[in-house]
Amino acid sequence: METKQRLAIIQQQINETCKKIGRNPEDITLIAVTKSVSSKRAQTLVDLGVKDLGENRLEGLLDKQENIQEKVNWHFIGNLQTRKVKELIHKIDCLHSLDRMSLVKEVNKRASEPLKCFVQINVSGEESKSGITPEEADTFFEQLAEYENVHVIGLMTMAPNTEDESEIRSVFRSLREVRDKITAKQLPYAPCTQLSMGMSNDFMIAIEEGATHIRVGTALVGSESEEDE
């Protein structure tokens, strides 16, 4: 399937889901997760009008940036090692995986201006997933006050790998509830109005539960073994 066709399908699904629940599709940021495909495939998406690309490895990000000259919003969506912050910090527009205080301190130290960040919440409680627990959120956000280069625009989570739609929906709904509690505090350094949740298999559920940023990989970019026809 051509990249153009895949993009059209995703956009139609976004539009239909938003129409069903009374949301504006323009309020949804589609992030193309290009970690598994070449710069050429990523360039095709950019040429089709996609302006937000997501990578989970520093090397992949740098390779894409070297080959894509157009203005793109770069999102880092993977687990970030503290030692790599200094190499990455000035290369991205948004970090989706702020998950520990040591990372907060390093980002604050290395950034020359406030960086947009999502705090990663491990809603499902799975040991394989990074992130603070929902119960730790209040304390974590209080501690953020002293770090002026960390600007938290929202929360991020990943749903469990399951076919159980009710379980997936519950995770997304729980993240929204944590977000609402933080937003109510009206913290100037952490407005926390956004929700980064939903991937290829569950982004429509995520939109129904309030996602503002969806991270779509395979369903949008395909795999490198597939060639555009």
Side-chain angles (χ1 to χ4, degrees), residues 45-105:
L45 284 161
V46 174
D47 292 342
L48 290 169
V50 174
K51 296 302 181 187
D52 293 86
L53 300 182
E55 289 285 326
N56 70 338
R57 292 174 59 251
L58 174 63
E59 295 77 15
L61 180 89
L62 296 178
D63 177 68
K64 299 289 195 311
Q65 289 185 339
E66 185 177 331
N67 290 285
I68 296 173
Q69 304 303 316
E70 290 87 345
K71 169 58 181 169
V72 170
N73 296 314
W74 295 97
H75 301 258
F76 193 80
I77 61 173
N79 180 264
L80 178 57
Q81 295 174 293
T82 307
R83 63 183 177 84
K84 290 193 175 183
V85 169
K86 62 182 178 181
E87 301 173 71
L88 180 78
I89 196 72
H90 297 113
K91 303 287 187 180
I92 60 174
D93 298 285
C94 188
L95 172 66
H96 288 245
S97 51
L98 194 67
D99 63 354
R100 60 196 186 279
M101 196 49 61
S102 60
L103 184 57
V104 169
K105 293 176 181 178

Side-chain angles (χ1 to χ4, degrees), residues 13-155:
Q13 290 172 322
I14 292 171
N15 291 338
E16 290 177 351
T17 303
C18 286
K19 183 178 181 180
K20 182 171 71 172
I21 59 173
R23 293 189 65 187
N24 186 344
E26 293 183 4
D27 293 337
I28 310 298
T29 298
L30 171 61
I31 300 169
V33 179
T34 52
K35 64 182 184 180
S36 62
V37 296
S38 65
S39 296
K40 182 180 179 181
R41 179 69 61 85
Q43 180 69 60
T44 299
L45 284 161
V46 174
D47 292 342
L48 290 169
V50 174
K51 296 302 181 187
D52 293 86
L53 300 182
E55 289 285 326
N56 70 338
R57 292 174 59 251
L58 174 63
E59 295 77 15
L61 180 89
L62 296 178
D63 177 68
K64 299 289 195 311
Q65 289 185 339
E66 185 177 331
N67 290 285
I68 296 173
Q69 304 303 316
E70 290 87 345
K71 169 58 181 169
V72 170
N73 296 314
W74 295 97
H75 301 258
F76 193 80
I77 61 173
N79 180 264
L80 178 57
Q81 295 174 293
T82 307
R83 63 183 177 84
K84 290 193 175 183
V85 169
K86 62 182 178 181
E87 301 173 71
L88 180 78
I89 196 72
H90 297 113
K91 303 287 187 180
I92 60 174
D93 298 285
C94 188
L95 172 66
H96 288 245
S97 51
L98 194 67
D99 63 354
R100 60 196 186 279
M101 196 49 61
S102 60
L103 184 57
V104 169
K105 293 176 181 178
E106 189 67 13
V107 168
N108 189 70
K109 174 184 175 182
R110 301 292 181 179
S112 55
E113 59 185 27
L115 177 68
K116 293 178 181 178
C117 298
F118 286 87
V119 170
Q120 183 170 354
I121 308 287
N122 185 357
V123 177
S124 66
E126 295 173 273
E127 292 185 5
S128 60
K129 289 182 169 58
S130 300
I132 64 171
T133 67
E135 294 74 25
E136 294 169 330
D138 281 344
T139 301
F140 190 84
F141 272 83
E142 288 172 8
Q143 294 175 325
L144 290 176
E146 60 186 281
Y147 303 102
E148 60 183 15
N149 284 332
V150 176
H151 185 67
V152 178
I153 62 171
L155 303 180

Side-chain angles (χ1 to χ4, degrees), residues 134 138 175-186:
D138 281 344
L175 187 72
R176 187 184 74 221
E177 290 170 353
V178 175
R179 188 276 311 268
D180 290 348
K181 290 177 182 177
I182 300 298
T183 304
K185 296 176 183 291
Q186 296 185 313

Side-chain angles (χ1 to χ4, degrees), residues 120-126 128-130 156-173 175 196-203 205-206 209 215:
Q120 183 170 354
I121 308 287
N122 185 357
V123 177
S124 66
E126 295 173 273
S128 60
K129 289 182 169 58
S130 300
M156 184 275 265
T157 200
M158 290 183 286
N161 184 17
T162 176
E163 298 294 323
D164 187 343
E165 182 177 319
S166 63
E167 186 177 349
I168 294 170
R169 190 177 297 279
S170 176
V171 166
F172 292 153
R173 187 169 294 165
L175 187 72
S196 172
M197 58 189 194
M199 301 192 293
S200 288
N201 297 327
D202 54 27
F203 71 85
I205 301 173
E209 295 301 329
R215 312 178 305 272

